[in-house]
Each structure stands twice: as C-alpha cells, then as structure tokens.
Amino acid sequence: MQVDRKDSKIAMAHIYVAMIALLLGGTAGLLQVLVRSGEFKLPWGIGYYQVLTVHGVLLGLILTTFFIYGFQIAAVSRTSGALSAKQRLLCWIGFWTMTTGTAMASAMVLLNEASVLYTFYAPLQAHWIFYLGLTLVVVGSWVGGLGQALRWMQWRKENKGQTSPLLSFMVVCNNLMWFVATIGVASEVLFQLLPWSLGLVERVDILLSRTLFWSFGHALVYFWLLPAYMIWYVVVPKVIGGKIFSDALSRLSFIMFVLFSVPVGLHHQLTEPGVDGSWKFLQVILTMMVVIPSLLTAFSLFATFEIRGRALGGKGVFGWLKQLPWGDARFFVPFLGMLVFIPGGAGGIVNASYQMNQLIHNTIWVTGHFHLTVATAVVLTFFGACYWLVPHLTGRTLTKEMNRLGIIQAIVWVVGMGIMSSAMHVAGLLGAPRRSAFSDYGGADIASTWISYQIAQAVGGTLLFIGILLFLYIFVKLCWFAPKGQEEFPIAEVAPNAEKTPAILENFKLWIVILVALVLIAYSFPIFDIISNAPLGSKGYKLW
Ligand code: HAS
C-alpha cells in the first residue's frame, strides 16, 4: 500500500520546509542558551529577543505546521486513497500560501522589525508584513486542511454505512479543531493587530488581543500533539507486530480533544486581572476534561504493549517489556517520546491548577514544560516517523546503519533535554523568569541562585543542537542517498476482540454543535465583559 506518487511530492514539499525551519530555529535555540548562560554575547548587534522570535516562530509554528501537513496528506492518501486532482490542487495552494506567509514573517524577524516572540503579544508592535505573513500561514492551512478533509468525505460517500479509516478520521478531527481554534487568532490579527500596525487605529485592547490569542493557543498545542497520537495509536502497534487496542476508544479520545481543546485558553491567563475568577474556574474544569483523553491514550498504549509482549512469551509483571523491539528506531524513538510525556503531562496538570499556577506562571518552569511536551514527546515522535515516512515517500529504505544512528540520536536528545528541561523546572521554582536574556538583576541574591541552572541549560541545549545535526544527516541520507526500495507505511489493524465502533463517533454534525456551544459558554461572557469594560487601549511599543 503505497502513497500515490503525486501525493508523496506534496507531502515531501511540506517536510522540506519543516526541515529548513528545524535547522534555522535550532541554531537560534543554541544561541539563546549560550546567551542565557551569561558566558556569550551575540555579535553584530543581533538581539536576544530577535533570536528568541526566530526560535519560537520557526520551531513552534512553522516546523510543526508544515511537518503535520506533510504527514497528514500522506496519511489520508495512504488510508482513504489517492487525492483527486481538485483535492491535490487545494493542498498545493495551501502549501504555497503558507510558504509565502512564512517567508514574509521570517524576513521581518530577520530584519529586526518583528522581535515580538511567537505569541506576538500587544503592545509590542511588529511590522504589518509580519502579521500579514502569519495570516497567510493560517489561511493556507485552512485551504490545505480542506483538501485533506474532502478526501475523507469522498471515502465516506463511496463506502456508505462503513466506519471510515481510523487515521483519516483522526486527521479530520485535528483539522476541525485547528479550524475552530484559528478563528480566534485570525480575528485578533485581522481586526486588531493589522489595522493597528498599519496605523489605521492608534490603540489596541491588550486584554482582548491576549484572550483571542489564547482561545487559539491551547488548541494549538493539541494540534501538535494529535499527529503524534495518530502515530502512537495507529503506526506503533503495527511496528511492534501488535494490534490497535480499540478503534472506538481511539476515536473517543480524538473527539474529546475536538470538544475540549478550544474552550480552555484562560488557563494561560490565570493571573490576568481583567477576567472574572468564575470564568477562569470554568475553564480550569474544562482543562481537566482535556486531560482525560491523554489518560485514555496512556491506558490504550500500555494495553497494546503488554498484550504484544505477553503474546511473544513475556512473563511476570514487567517481563513483557523485554519482548518489545528495542532495536527498531521506528518503535524506540516514539517510545522515548511517550515516556517523556509522562512528566511533561504531569507538569501541565500542575500549571492548570489555579493555585500552583501562581508559583510557576511566567517563570522558566513553563519553558521546561513545553520542551518536554512539544519539543520531546511530539518532536521525537516526528523524528521516529521520518525513519519510515521519508523513505516511503522518496522510494528508499531505512538501512541498519541509519536505524542505529536514529536510536543514538534519540538518546542524545533525551539526555540533552533531560539536563536542559530539569534545569528549567528547578530554576523556575526558584523564581527565574522566562522570556528574558541573561541578567544578574543588579547583583540581586535571588538571581545568583539561577546561574548554575542557566549554565546547565547551555550544556543541555548544546547536546540538543548536536541532536538536530544528527537528525538532519539521517534525513538527507533518507531523501537522496539511502538504497532505493520500498519502505512500509505501517498501519495496524484493530484487535479482533475489540468492541464495535459506535456510529455516533463519526457524527461530526453533533460534535460541531457541542463544540460551538462549549466555546460560546466559555468565551462569550468573558469577551463581552472585556469589550464592554474596555480601557482606552495601548499604543504600540518597539522595545528592541
Ligand atoms: Fe501545556 C503552557 C497545561 C499539555 C505545550 N503548554 C504551555 C505552553 C506550551 C505548552 C507551548 O494550565 C507555553 C505557552 C506560552 O508560551 O505561554 N498542558 C497543560 C495541560 C496539559 C498540557 C493540563 N502543553 C501540553 C502539550 C503541549 C503543551 C501536549 C504541546 C504539545 N500548559 C498548561 C498550562 C499552561 C501551559 C496551564 C500555562 C502556564 C502558564 O501559566 O503560562 C495536558 O494536556 C497534559 C496531559 C498529559 C498527560 C500525560 C499522558 C501520558 C501519555 C504517555 C503514556 C506513556 C506510555 C509509555 C504509554 C496526563 C499519553 C509506556 C511506558 C511503559 C513503561 C510501558
């Protein structure tokens, strides 16, 4: 079962852009940890916040979105069938729109016209071309996402009454969530930031802009996570020779993400003075709801691994673990991602807990949290996926040598991230702020307790940069130099004794109604409140 050649080309085009973003964004990351150690100064007047913006935008927004779309296009084509000419055209239009937008936004950051970090909080004001560029990335993603969804809809029409392919269903869930979530940020950029940066209006409502941003921002993190979950649920079981524990459970967890990912953004604003506590309370409850599908996922994966390990003769409480294929990078690399997601997710629950959030908010603990979640659980899964996806799409094979290097790469990554992220967590608890360059704060005693951790971050960050170079070496080999042949795109079957999937799980009309209702309940009152009690607003600042 091969992905259609023409679809492979679109998928690879997305993945190439993602890899360029990885190289540039990773280099920026290395420079940052060096600066923050206090031992290194950036040359040629380059600013710390400029480098931090390159890092956040290229890795957080561009690497992820482009890789996810490359993977999803291949996934839909593999499981629902080759795209039609119209669907393919939509995916290409989406790709070029996103790429043009990326070039515009990156150019402004490199020209030092947009050092506003990846969250682009007002009143920091970037050049309007930066905002327009990001708008094009979002609009392009809508068009490309539609191309993918149309293929799934076509499958449903051609196979009436049947349960659709699980992987395609998951892609549609992710795109639906993305579409609803991006409405918030698109409104912020179109109605607030663009007119303001163009000078059409003088002032902007900061609280409104931040609330609209976070109505998108937390769903964004699940937009990164769900493709990793697709690989964990559907690909990894096949790699280990097992079966999907339950099709129904997998779909249920994705539907829960669709419902609960958007109406939870206020947990990023728990210290925000202008939002009433009752709305924060409601959204914290909804945040705890969005933890449940991750717990379902953990349960399902443990079951898959244990059932397979026992079928291979594993005995005792943990004996089955030994039977898993530890020497196969396609399993080992995402597995490390899963392991790291356990402390990463636990940290998220700490963040979401109202009282504990007071301790960690705006400290570098939060940076430690998202380097475990997105930069390890998700990114390692994407790296692991590349070891079969890239050769599958380029008509080559994963050699033993590359497989071994993939395993070494993942170990380097986990060690580097272990050092960097642990140091960030501890320094955060000691009060070290995030989003700040090195400073001894006028020789303040408390700042001196952070310095050794900042040096540890530089050590970990350097290992991570070596990890990026190693990965890119393997990537280049798999694209152009590995032996020609056929590499499998692994898709597992559902366990024969699993419960039948209830049709209601595919009833998107119902889920969309519930999703819209939840978003309205969680957001309409707070936003009405923010607008009706709006202060004068702020002029733009360019502090860099
Ligand atoms: Fe988060 C801040 C809460 C998950 C990313 N988060 C961030 C930011 C980012 C981010 C980028 O409530 C910073 C944004 C900024 O710039 O300001 N987060 C959560 C919660 C979860 C969570 C409750 N976050 C993620 C994921 C991310 C991500 C996933 C990226 C992909 N986060 C917060 C909060 C803040 C926040 C607050 C704001 C803090 C502040 O004040 O600024 C949950 O979804 C986590 C649930 C996950 C679990 C883990 C399940 C484990 C699994 C693995 C199983 C392992 C196996 C291995 C099977 C409960 C599924 C088998 C092992 C064997 C031994 C066999």
Side-chain angles (χ1 to χ4, degrees):
M1 291 290 279
Q2 196 69 26
V3 171
D4 179 90
R5 300 260 325 134
K6 289 183 184 153
D7 298 343
S8 297
K9 276 198 180 140
I10 317 180
M12 280 309 294
H14 285 82
I15 295 174
Y16 291 136
V17 177
M19 293 305 136
I20 295 170
L22 175 64
L23 178 62
L24 300 178
T27 309
L30 175 68
L31 295 176
Q32 265 156 247
V33 285
L34 294 180
V35 171
R36 258 195 100 125
S37 72
E39 304 292 324
F40 174 78
K41 290 227 167 349
L42 287 166
W44 312 307
I46 301 173
Y48 175 80
Y49 298 99
Q50 186 181 5
V51 174
L52 187 53
T53 309
V54 171
H55 180 69
V57 170
L58 286 185
L59 295 187
L61 305 179
I62 304 304
L63 161 73
T64 47
T65 311
F66 276 84
F67 183 84
I68 288 167
Y69 267 36
F71 164 71
Q72 289 191 166
I73 289 167
V76 169
S77 174
R78 164 74 171 81
T79 53
S80 289
L83 302 186
S84 69
K86 191 173 115 197
Q87 293 153 3
R88 209 170 278 137
L89 179 67
L90 284 173
C91 289
W92 275 120
I93 294 175
F95 170 78
W96 283 113
T97 315
M98 293 202 305
T99 308
T100 310
T102 302
M104 287 163 66
S106 310
M108 286 303 112
V109 180
L110 294 176
L111 292 171
N112 206 15
E113 291 288 344
S115 297
V116 291
L117 313 192
Y118 90 110
T119 40
F120 46 90
Y121 279 169
L124 290 180
Q125 192 183 53
H127 195 285
W128 61 269
I129 295 181
F130 173 81
Y131 299 121
L132 188 63
L134 291 185
T135 309
L136 289 183
V137 174
V138 170
V139 172
S141 73
W142 289 344
V143 179
L146 180 66
Q148 299 160 29
L150 285 175
R151 184 62 191 90
W152 174 81
M153 285 155 86
Q154 183 189 333
W155 190 99
R156 297 255 295 166
K157 252 193 217 146
E158 290 164 356
N159 299 273
K160 282 223 158 48
Q162 291 188 43
T163 310
S164 67
L166 179 58
L167 197 53
S168 293
F169 168 87
M170 290 170 156
V171 168
V172 172
C173 286
N174 201 26
N175 290 353
L176 170 63
M177 181 190 74
W178 174 251
F179 176 73
V180 175
T182 44
I183 294 174
V185 73
S187 320
E188 178 201 2
V189 174
L190 282 181
F191 301 119
Q192 292 194 282
L193 302 183
L194 260 176
W196 175 63
S197 60
L198 282 164
L200 301 177
V201 293
E202 194 189 21
R203 289 169 184 273
V204 72
D205 183 338
I206 309 295
L207 179 54
L208 180 62
S209 73
R210 214 163 23 215
T211 307
L212 288 173
F213 179 85
W214 283 118
S215 71
F216 148 82
H218 199 71
L220 168 71
V221 314
Y222 295 117
F223 175 71
W224 301 331
L225 181 69
L226 291 195
Y229 275 14
M230 294 177 203
I231 293 161
W232 296 359
Y233 271 117
V234 180
V235 174
V236 170
K238 171 76 176 178
V239 171
I240 65 169
K243 302 261 189 261
I244 297 169
F245 176 69
S246 158
D247 180 276
L249 181 142
S250 321
R251 285 179 209 252
L252 174 66
S253 95
F254 270 65
I255 290 295
M256 290 187 78
F257 277 115
V258 169
L259 298 184
F260 297 115
S261 293
V262 186
V264 295
L266 283 184
H267 70 224
H268 290 261
Q269 298 172 270
L270 293 178
T271 54
E272 193 86 70
V275 180
D276 191 89
S278 47
W279 298 111
K280 293 177 184 169
F281 179 66
L282 174 73
Q283 294 211 15
V284 162
I285 292 176
L286 291 172
T287 305
M288 295 306 165
M289 291 297 293
V290 84
V291 172
I292 294 173
S294 282
L295 297 177
L296 292 179
T297 306
F299 169 78
S300 170
L301 292 169
F302 268 109
T304 303
F305 295 150
E306 184 175 350
I307 291 169
R308 179 62 185 154
R310 289 200 187 283
L312 290 173
K315 300 264 181 306
V317 182
F318 293 113
W320 50 271
L321 264 174
K322 280 197 222 135
Q323 307 296 327
L324 300 176
W326 298 107
D328 187 337
R330 299 170 309 157
F331 162 69
F332 181 75
V333 180
F335 183 85
L336 285 188
M338 294 173 199
L339 273 188
V340 171
F341 195 45
I342 298 175
I349 299 172
V350 168
N351 300 349
S353 309
Y354 207 121
Q355 291 82 347
M356 283 192 272
N357 185 271
Q358 317 293 309
L359 183 68
I360 55 83
H361 184 68
N362 274 343
T363 71
I364 201 161
W365 160 288
V366 177
T367 319
H369 161 68
F370 67 71
H371 278 85
L372 290 185
T373 49
V374 64
T376 306
V378 170
V379 164
L380 268 189
T381 303
F382 290 175
F383 287 172
C386 281
Y387 301 146
W388 49 265
L389 180 63
V390 172
H392 179 92
L393 297 176
T394 55
R396 294 180 186 268
T397 52
L398 177 69
T399 57
K400 273 195 177 143
E401 188 203 353
M402 289 303 116
N403 181 66
R404 204 171 38 243
L405 213 50
I407 289 178
I408 296 172
Q409 194 279 343
I411 294 172
V412 171
W413 195 269
V414 170
V415 172
M417 195 58 91
I419 298 172
M420 189 178 91
S421 176
S422 310
M424 286 172 164
H425 277 90
V426 178
L429 290 179
L430 295 173
R434 65 182 285 209
R435 305 188 186 103
S436 80
F438 177 80
S439 166
D440 62 0
Y441 294 86
D445 283 348
I446 188 169
S448 64
T449 63
W450 307 331
I451 293 179
S452 52
Y453 295 100
Q454 295 184 168
I455 291 172
Q457 286 164 34
V459 173
T462 309
L463 278 176
L464 287 169
F465 185 68
I466 295 170
I468 288 180
L469 295 181
L470 255 179
F471 173 74
L472 287 174
Y473 171 74
I474 306 172
F475 177 78
V476 168
K477 278 268 190 185
L478 293 178
C479 285
W480 295 290
F481 302 105
K484 293 214 161 134
Q486 273 201 338
E487 187 70 45
E488 183 193 11
F489 186 140
I491 301 281
E493 286 169 13
V494 178
N497 53 350
E499 293 281 329
K500 204 174 164 298
T501 304
I504 192 169
L505 287 173
E506 299 223 274
N507 185 348
F508 276 105
K509 282 186 195 135
L510 172 68
W511 305 124
I512 290 173
V513 170
I514 300 178
L515 167 62
V516 171
L518 279 174
V519 174
L520 288 178
I521 292 168
Y523 269 114
S524 51
F525 279 99
I527 288 190
F528 175 77
D529 228 22
I530 291 170
I531 293 176
S532 45
N533 295 304
L536 184 58
S538 174
K539 291 184 177 175
Y541 289 90
K542 203 176 156 188
L543 299 175
W544 59 92

